[in-house]
Amino acid sequence: MSLSLSDIRHKLVVAAQEEYDRRIERGIHPYSMASYHFKAIINSELVKHVDISDWKAGNWRELNRAIDKSLYNKLRNPFGSNEDVDFANGQWAVSANLSSSEAWATPGFEEAYRYHSIHGG
């Protein structure tokens, strides 16, 4: 059975949220967590469902946009309180990681990033 992109994306959100909850249980402060801390768990879940070896920027963008809003009581608000939002931290981690993967898969991004790192803005 083949899963839809929104089903796969939700599995990523669940995996990221579970990792976030494990980190909180271990006493890690939420403000010390960055989205890249979730990259391994998200990619580990993703490769169970899709071969990403030749993915382009558009593939990452399509997956990131495949949000089935019926799976969440609300979508995460990037500028407000998310205390009552199901999977808020998982949504944040997945969105940030997929956006980053899209950027790195964009032709010329790596070269531009390297140039900016060396020579500045």
Side-chain angles (χ1 to χ4, degrees):
M1 175 177 79
S2 178
L3 296 175
S4 70
L5 283 180
S6 61
D7 291 336
I8 293 169
R9 191 181 190 287
H10 182 63
K11 288 185 175 292
L12 303 181
V13 169
V14 170
Q17 185 66 50
E18 289 172 352
E19 176 62 15
Y20 180 89
D21 294 342
R22 280 191 294 272
R23 287 170 173 263
I24 293 296
E25 286 175 15
R26 289 195 321 256
I28 297 173
H29 194 280
Y31 291 166
S32 69
M33 288 187 240
S35 60
Y36 65 82
H37 290 128
F38 299 87
K39 185 172 182 66
I41 195 82
I42 291 168
N43 283 348
S44 173
E45 183 64 30
L46 180 57
V47 298
K48 291 178 187 176
H49 309 286
V50 178
D51 175 11
I52 60 172
S53 60
D54 64 345
W55 267 30
K56 309 280 188 261
N59 300 107
W60 295 106
R61 184 179 323 109
E62 189 177 348
L63 179 58
N64 203 10
R65 290 181 178 168
I67 299 171
D68 181 350
K69 296 176 183 180
S70 70
L71 297 172
Y72 310 104
N73 65 334
K74 289 191 251 178
L75 287 178
R76 186 181 171 282
N77 179 348
F79 302 108
S81 171
N82 288 295
E83 291 180 20
D84 61 341
V85 178
D86 291 340
F87 304 105
N89 296 298
Q91 290 183 58
W92 154 74
V94 167
S95 178
N97 274 278
L98 294 178
S99 293
S100 177
S101 294
E102 177 187 345
W104 285 100
T106 300
F109 179 83
E110 185 175 351
E111 294 81 5
Y113 183 85
R114 187 177 309 118
Y115 181 88
H116 180 74
S117 296
I118 294 168
H119 303 290

